[in-house]
Amino acid sequence: MNDDDKVIGELSEEELRELIPQLQLLTEKYKRAEKVQKALFEISELASSVSNLDRLYKAVHDIVSDFMNADNFYVAFYDPTDKHVDFAYFVDELDKEVLKHVPYDKVMHGLTGYILKNGNSLIMTKENIDSVVEETGIKLLGTPPIDLIGVPLKRSTEVIGAMVVQSYNDNVRYDQDDFEVLSFISQHIVTTVDRVKSREVTERTIRERTKQLRSINDDLQEEILERQKVESLQTALFEISELSVSLDDDITRFYSKLHSILARLVSAPNCFVAVLNEDKDKLRFPYFSDELHDSVEERPLGLGLTEYIIRRGEASLIDNSKILSLVEEGEVDVTIAQNLMEQNNSWLGSPLVIDGEVQGVIGIQTYGKLQDYTQKDLEILRFVSHHIAVAMERRRSSEALKAYNQQLADKVKERTEELNKTNEYLKKQIEQRKEIELKLIHDAHHDSLTDLPNRVMFNSRLELAIANKKRHPENKFAVLFIDLDRFKVINDTLGHHAGDEFLIEVSQRIALCKRGHDLLARLGGDEFVILLDNFDDVKAIEEVASRVINSVSMPFVLDGKEMFSGASIGIAHLDNSYMSADEVLRDSDAAMYQAKSLGRGRYVNFDKSMREKLLEDIQLEAEFRKSLKNKKFDCVLQPVVSLEDESVLYFECTLQWHNPTFGKINREQFWQIAEQCSLTLELNQFLLDGAIGLLSQWQEDPEYATQRIGLSLSVEHLMQRDLVNELIEQVKQSKFDAEKLLLAFSESALNNRSQFILPAVKKLKRHGFGLILDNFGSGAASLNYLFSYPFDFIKIDERFVQSFTRSEKNLRFIESVILVAEKVSIIVIAEGISSKTKLEGLKGLGCEYGQGDILGNTILLDFVDDTPEEVK
């Protein structure tokens, strides 16, 4: 016996009885510890055995119930992503409403929100409930409990939820041991929940993935089947396409092959092909294969199924369910419907559309209820029928092509012969076209009248010469600018045809004067140019110029009349200062004008002073235009008086121009500038307006009321019918009679255009105007003017008046004119009387009127205000 046994043996019965409660309490603790250990084991087992969270929470509830009364138990988790509280498990005796997904805002002030927010456990009894509520600020939601224990569920240090047990019964109370057990279980429940939730998610994912894989597999199987069908359909279409070109002329075999190909795609024990005839009023059946019928004859269009497809233009499935509605709509005959229903037909038909029109139908049918067609079969036939129609059209086209080839072969020989003839004709046309092209090129660079090179070709050659001169300064080039004299006179007198003949002959003469390698061209009008090169000195050029002048001065016979002309030539030598052809032509043209001003029929070499003179002429023309625009010309009235008593017959109105830069411009240069500027008509009108205004003003002045004014008009004014009419109308609107306005016309101008001017002169005479024949004797006119024209006055040219005192011939001329004029009642006026001797001589010849510096005063007027400025 050991010492302990001795101690125990020494305890009294009373002492042993006192130890029994302690031993019982210790036994309860061991049992409770064992239950806790078992609960932990069960919770651990739950993590591997339970795959569903609902079952897990129920199992946890059962485990908790082993330790305490847990009739009212719930587990809640907080989801921070959407800020909601999920009541994963909720059992309550009094609050029957099942809570699931509740916004956090609704529970944040409750006891669940307190646990989630603070992470602290909560023990509430009916004895401390008021103090706890006051201390924590909790708002009780639902029925207040007798006792309540709430513990947080944590993952590491993060609060993710709460687990709560509560009692509504006074007999069911919780103590500290219950709190410790619930707290201890809560520490292990989160791991178990996470493992079960992970496994649940994994299993759900596996199930979903398996389902997806099964669905994908099913889709793949369907796609394989569809692809097999598509491949079969493509093979059939390829065979149909090949069939249209591979078979011989046996049409029955062609359709039979089509039938066999179609039968591989859809059940087609019975098949036919129906086509419309040319008139489209009958159906014929080039192919017919049927189990019950051997053949079918051609028939008129009626109310059959085939005709229905043709009218509708679409593929159709017709069976017992549809045939009655077609009969009711009047689309199909009743007999057809009865036959179809008796034989339980299922019928498919699709139109054969060729070139956009329904040409026929392909149909298939079955007999018996067990072989009905479906919409899928209809789609196949609809698709295939299009390609069958194409194959039929190809075959038809192939047959037509064979026939056409035969016809073509017959025509090839005929067409070959025609083509040979056409080729010969085309060869001739090509040759002609080449000739035309060469002619066009020639015409583009040559003058159409003389066939000489034109301005374009000449400028091109001249540009090359300028470039050559710059590269080789030792080479010499010169340009002769030739202008013809009296060309305008010839053209206006004899007509354009004679003018053309004149230019052609001139071009031929000049061509004989130039050297062989020189280039002669016509610039236009009466202007010719020669480009000379390869000469030693200036004498070679002057020899060519002299030959041209001499040749052109020889008489021309035009329309049976002998005419004379002449040539003025300007010569420009190329040097390195020239940059363009226009500059060379400009200078040679300036030299030509210098030759004209020196008396025509000569040549002049260009120098820089001529360019300055040309610039001066340009400036003079500009000043002239400005003066005309601003009415800066002086008007001079010189009286025509009686040689006996110096009484005024009329006043001759003329214009003078004093330019600040160029001084006084003489009358001849004045009108020459007007012609160069093409302002003759404007100047005439200016003079007319002034004279008419002055005569109108004189009607109010007794001193001049009976006076007349004469003025010289260019014959160009008479060539314009409108201007003549405007002059007549202008005088009609004035305050004086037309007889007070005398119009003078130069004899030399009348020579050129007499046939055109005479009607206008006569018209002016009929309207009362006085007419003057000016400068009589200056041209090649005859006394015929005195008899043919209604002139009132004749002014003998000043040259005869100046020289009659020393020229017997001129004296006799004046004497003859006076005698003839007296016979036809025309007044003779001698102009340019400058001395007493001439005055007395004219009186002795019987001349009554004259004009000159010694006769009367000259009046200077300003046409701007129509008042006299000065009397000289």
Side-chain angles (χ1 to χ4, degrees):
M1 178 178 298
N2 56 30
D3 293 337
D4 290 337
D5 291 337
K6 289 180 179 181
V7 172
I8 293 173
E10 293 176 359
L11 290 176
S12 64
E13 182 179 352
E14 184 178 354
E15 289 176 337
L16 288 172
R17 288 185 180 187
E18 290 178 357
L19 289 173
I20 289 174
Q22 295 179 10
L23 292 173
Q24 287 178 341
L25 181 60
L26 186 60
T27 302
E28 289 294 328
K29 286 184 178 181
Y30 281 129
K31 287 181 179 181
R32 194 174 186 87
E34 185 179 358
K35 289 178 67 176
V36 171
Q37 186 175 6
K38 180 182 177 183
L40 292 177
F41 178 78
E42 288 178 353
I43 291 173
S44 178
E45 285 292 320
L46 287 174
S48 59
S49 62
V50 176
S51 60
N52 185 280
L53 287 174
D54 292 338
R55 290 175 56 198
L56 172 66
Y57 299 135
K58 180 66 171 62
V60 171
H61 187 190
D62 292 341
I63 293 171
V64 173
S65 297
D66 288 343
F67 294 97
M68 66 184 73
N69 187 306
D71 293 338
N72 304 287
F73 176 81
Y74 69 86
V75 179
F77 290 97
Y78 173 61
D79 186 357
T81 58
D82 62 355
K83 298 190 180 302
H84 276 67
V85 176
D86 288 322
F87 288 86
Y89 186 79
F90 187 88
V91 176
D92 196 276
E93 295 175 319
L94 300 181
D95 294 331
K96 299 298 184 180
E97 183 180 358
V98 179
L99 299 176
K100 283 296 183 183
H101 200 61
V102 181
Y104 177 70
D105 294 340
K106 290 186 178 182
V107 300
M108 65 181 295
H109 298 296
L111 61 93
T112 304
Y114 174 80
I115 295 172
L116 293 173
K117 185 166 47 179
N118 297 297
N120 297 325
S121 299
L122 185 66
I123 301 175
M124 188 180 295
T125 65
K126 70 177 183 178
E127 289 81 12
N128 71 354
I129 187 169
D130 293 332
S131 61
V132 171
V133 168
E134 183 178 355
E135 181 181 349
T136 61
I138 295 173
K139 294 180 180 179
L140 294 178
L141 304 175
T143 305
I146 299 297
D147 277 0
L148 179 144
I149 301 175
V151 296
L153 300 177
K154 295 183 179 181
R155 182 182 292 118
S156 184
T157 59
E158 179 186 5
V159 179
I160 65 170
M163 187 165 62
V164 178
V165 294
Q166 55 187 335
S167 169
Y168 300 109
N169 192 339
D170 287 333
N171 295 326
V172 179
R173 304 298 297 272
Y174 299 132
D175 55 20
Q176 185 64 31
D177 290 340
D178 295 327
F179 170 73
E180 292 176 356
V181 170
L182 194 62
S183 297
F184 185 77
I185 291 174
S186 69
Q187 296 174 10
H188 298 82
I189 197 69
V190 172
T191 303
T192 302
V193 169
D194 286 345
R195 291 175 63 186
V196 173
K197 186 181 292 185
S198 175
R199 187 164 62 251
E200 184 182 36
V201 170
T202 301
E203 289 178 355
R204 185 167 60 248
T205 303
I206 291 172
R207 287 195 301 272
E208 290 178 356
R209 185 58 180 163
T210 302
K211 185 178 179 181
Q212 290 177 357
L213 290 173
R214 284 200 188 102
S215 176
I216 292 172
N217 185 57
D218 292 341
D219 292 342
L220 286 174
Q221 292 298 327
E222 290 182 7
E223 186 176 349
I224 289 170
L225 291 175
E226 287 298 322
R227 289 195 176 187
Q228 288 175 347
K229 291 179 181 179
V230 170
E231 288 177 1
S232 176
L233 183 60
Q234 288 178 341
T235 302
L237 296 180
F238 177 75
E239 290 180 7
I240 291 172
S241 178
E242 288 292 315
L243 186 62
S244 62
V245 294
S246 61
L247 288 179
D248 53 18
D249 295 335
D250 190 346
I251 193 67
T252 304
R253 282 188 61 207
F254 171 72
Y255 287 120
S256 179
K257 285 283 188 180
L258 283 179
H259 184 186
S260 62
I261 294 170
L262 182 60
R264 296 206 307 268
L265 301 175
V266 64
S267 177
N270 309 288
C271 177
F272 71 89
V273 176
V275 295
L276 291 168
N277 64 354
E278 292 183 359
D279 296 331
K280 297 186 178 180
D281 59 354
K282 290 183 180 181
L283 277 177
R284 62 183 182 87
F285 297 83
Y287 181 76
F288 186 84
S289 175
D290 194 86
E291 296 172 337
L292 302 181
H293 305 282
D294 294 333
S295 62
V296 62
E297 298 296 328
E298 182 179 11
R299 71 164 190 260
L301 293 179
L303 293 178
L305 298 178
T306 304
E307 288 89 333
Y308 169 71
I309 298 299
I310 292 175
R311 290 194 302 274
R312 190 163 178 248
E314 293 182 2
S316 293
L317 165 60
I318 301 174
D319 50 21
N320 291 348
S321 62
K322 188 174 181 179
I323 191 67
L324 292 178
S325 62
L326 293 179
V327 173
E328 291 175 358
E329 294 171 3
E331 294 286 353
V332 177
D333 188 81
V334 176
T335 305
I336 301 295
Q338 289 175 348
N339 291 336
L340 186 140
M341 295 178 69
E342 288 175 0
Q343 298 170 357
N344 290 316
N345 276 39
S346 184
W347 191 92
L348 288 178
S350 183
L352 299 174
V353 181
I354 299 174
D355 293 335
E357 294 184 359
V358 178
Q359 301 285 347
V361 172
I362 182 167
I364 57 176
Q365 59 184 336
T366 62
Y367 301 105
K369 292 183 178 180
L370 300 178
Q371 296 182 342
D372 290 345
Y373 288 122
T374 64
Q375 286 296 324
K376 202 164 189 179
D377 297 328
L378 178 63
E379 290 299 323
I380 291 175
L381 183 63
R382 178 186 288 118
F383 184 72
V384 173
S385 65
H386 169 71
H387 295 274
I388 292 175
V390 172
M392 291 174 62
E393 176 59 19
R394 282 183 181 176
R395 187 165 187 85
R396 183 184 299 178
S397 300
S398 177
E399 292 173 354
L401 184 61
K402 288 180 182 179
Y404 176 76
N405 286 338
Q406 186 60 42
Q407 295 176 3
L408 188 62
D410 296 337
K411 290 183 178 180
V412 166
K413 185 176 181 180
E414 177 184 350
R415 290 292 298 160
T416 301
E417 294 177 357
E418 292 178 0
L419 287 173
N420 289 335
K421 293 179 182 179
T422 303
N423 286 336
E424 292 297 326
Y425 175 71
L426 287 175
K427 287 180 181 179
K428 293 180 181 179
Q429 279 198 329
I430 291 171
E431 292 175 358
Q432 292 175 357
R433 187 176 295 276
K434 287 181 179 179
E435 292 177 359
I436 292 172
E437 289 178 354
L438 292 174
K439 187 176 185 305
L440 288 174
I441 295 172
H442 180 273
D443 291 346
H445 294 84
H446 289 78
D447 175 50
S448 59
L449 177 64
T450 63
D451 201 37
L452 293 176
N454 59 12
R455 182 185 292 270
V456 174
M457 183 174 178
F458 185 82
N459 281 354
S460 177
R461 289 284 297 275
L462 185 53
E463 293 284 357
L464 292 176
I466 293 172
N468 183 283
K469 182 68 176 178
K470 291 185 179 299
R471 290 194 302 270
H472 306 285
E474 69 278 5
N475 292 345
K476 297 179 180 180
F477 299 91
V479 171
L480 273 63
F481 197 105
I482 305 167
D483 185 82
L484 304 179
D485 299 332
R486 295 178 56 81
F487 170 69
K488 195 172 189 311
V489 174
I490 295 171
N491 213 31
D492 294 341
T493 304
L494 301 180
H496 293 293
H497 177 70
D500 291 345
E501 289 184 352
F502 169 72
L503 290 175
I504 292 171
E505 186 170 346
V506 167
S507 67
Q508 294 171 350
R509 292 187 184 185
I510 297 176
L512 295 175
C513 298
K514 71 178 185 65
R515 300 172 304 167
H517 57 275
D518 296 333
L519 176 65
L520 169 63
R522 180 188 175 209
L523 298 183
D526 60 345
E527 295 178 342
F528 295 84
V529 286
I530 301 176
L531 175 62
L532 298 98
D533 64 352
N534 195 23
F535 54 86
D536 296 328
D537 52 32
V538 177
K539 290 183 178 180
I541 301 173
E542 293 177 348
E543 287 178 3
V544 174
S546 298
R547 289 199 296 267
V548 171
I549 292 171
N550 294 333
S551 178
V552 175
S553 65
M554 301 297 290
F556 294 84
V557 178
L558 304 171
D559 288 346
K561 298 179 181 179
E562 190 174 69
M563 302 293 293
F564 290 88
S565 182
S568 299
I569 301 176
I571 303 173
H573 294 266
L574 269 66
D575 56 38
N576 290 329
S577 65
Y578 287 113
M579 303 302 294
S580 67
D582 290 339
E583 294 178 1
V584 180
L585 290 176
R586 175 200 64 197
D587 290 348
S588 59
D589 185 38
M592 180 273 296
Y593 273 106
Q594 181 68 15
K596 277 183 174 291
S597 64
L598 293 176
R600 303 175 184 268
R602 66 185 65 208
Y603 61 84
V604 171
N605 285 289
F606 174 80
D607 58 43
K608 291 184 179 180
S609 62
M610 295 177 189
R611 186 179 300 166
E612 294 171 358
K613 177 65 169 58
L614 183 61
L615 293 174
E616 181 181 315
D617 291 343
I618 293 173
Q619 185 180 357
L620 186 61
E621 288 184 9
E623 292 289 333
F624 182 85
R625 291 177 184 274
K626 188 186 302 181
S627 297
L628 178 60
K629 181 179 179 180
N630 298 325
K631 298 182 179 180
K632 293 299 183 181
F633 298 128
D634 297 327
C635 178
V636 176
L637 295 182
Q638 186 176 28
V640 175
V641 299
S642 170
L643 299 183
E644 291 294 334
D645 57 11
E646 294 189 357
S647 61
V648 177
L649 177 65
Y650 68 89
F651 287 97
E652 182 180 10
C653 182
T654 58
L655 294 177
Q656 292 181 356
W657 183 29
H658 292 80
N659 184 268
T661 303
F662 299 99
K664 182 178 180 180
I665 309 300
N666 62 50
R667 181 177 179 181
E668 181 179 356
Q669 186 180 11
F670 179 86
W671 284 100
Q672 184 180 2
I673 295 171
E675 289 180 3
Q676 290 174 356
C677 297
S678 300
L679 293 175
T680 305
L681 294 177
E682 286 80 355
L683 204 59
N684 282 343
Q685 193 61 49
F686 173 72
L687 194 58
L688 280 170
D689 292 341
I692 292 171
L694 186 59
L695 284 172
S696 297
Q697 182 182 353
W698 279 0
Q699 301 310 301
E700 308 297 332
D701 187 346
E703 182 180 354
Y704 294 100
T706 60
Q707 292 295 341
R708 293 179 290 182
I709 293 179
L711 53 86
S712 295
L713 278 186
S714 167
V715 293
E716 299 292 338
H717 215 91
L718 298 180
M719 300 289 287
Q720 306 276 348
R721 182 180 299 179
D722 293 340
L723 294 180
V724 173
N725 293 335
E726 287 176 10
L727 171 59
I728 294 170
E729 187 61 30
Q730 189 176 4
V731 173
K732 282 183 180 180
Q733 300 296 327
S734 63
K735 300 177 182 179
F736 61 90
D737 295 332
E739 64 183 7
K740 290 186 178 181
L741 183 60
L742 308 179
L743 303 177
F745 301 98
S746 173
E747 179 202 0
S748 59
L750 291 176
N751 284 337
N752 298 334
R753 305 180 182 90
S754 58
Q755 58 180 335
F756 305 106
I757 293 174
L758 181 59
V761 172
K762 289 182 177 180
K763 186 174 184 177
L764 290 172
K765 184 62 180 178
R766 288 197 302 270
H767 284 82
F769 291 88
L771 300 177
I772 304 171
L773 179 60
D774 200 4
N775 300 325
F776 188 77
S778 61
S782 65
L783 295 176
N784 184 49
Y785 284 118
L786 304 182
F787 299 96
S788 301
Y789 284 77
F791 288 110
D792 301 295
F793 306 93
I794 295 175
K795 292 183 72 176
I796 299 175
D797 189 86
E798 185 177 352
R799 291 178 298 173
F800 294 99
V801 176
Q802 293 293 334
S803 60
F804 82 94
T805 55
R806 59 182 183 275
S807 173
E808 182 69 18
K809 182 179 179 181
N810 290 347
L811 185 146
R812 296 306 174 198
F813 174 77
I814 294 174
E815 186 178 24
S816 300
V817 171
I818 293 173
L819 290 174
V820 174
E822 184 180 356
K823 297 294 182 182
V824 294
S825 300
I826 296 178
I827 297 174
V828 177
I829 302 169
E831 60 178 332
I833 303 174
S834 57
S835 64
K836 290 289 186 180
T837 304
K838 292 183 178 61
L839 176 61
E840 295 301 325
L842 288 170
K843 286 181 180 180
L845 293 174
C847 183
E848 298 181 29
Y849 295 93
Q851 182 183 17
D853 294 338
I854 66 170
L855 300 173
N857 295 323
T858 300
I859 301 175
L860 180 64
L861 296 175
D862 182 2
F863 272 175
V864 176
D865 56 11
D866 295 324
T867 56
E869 281 187 350
E870 178 183 355
V871 178
K872 295 182 180 178

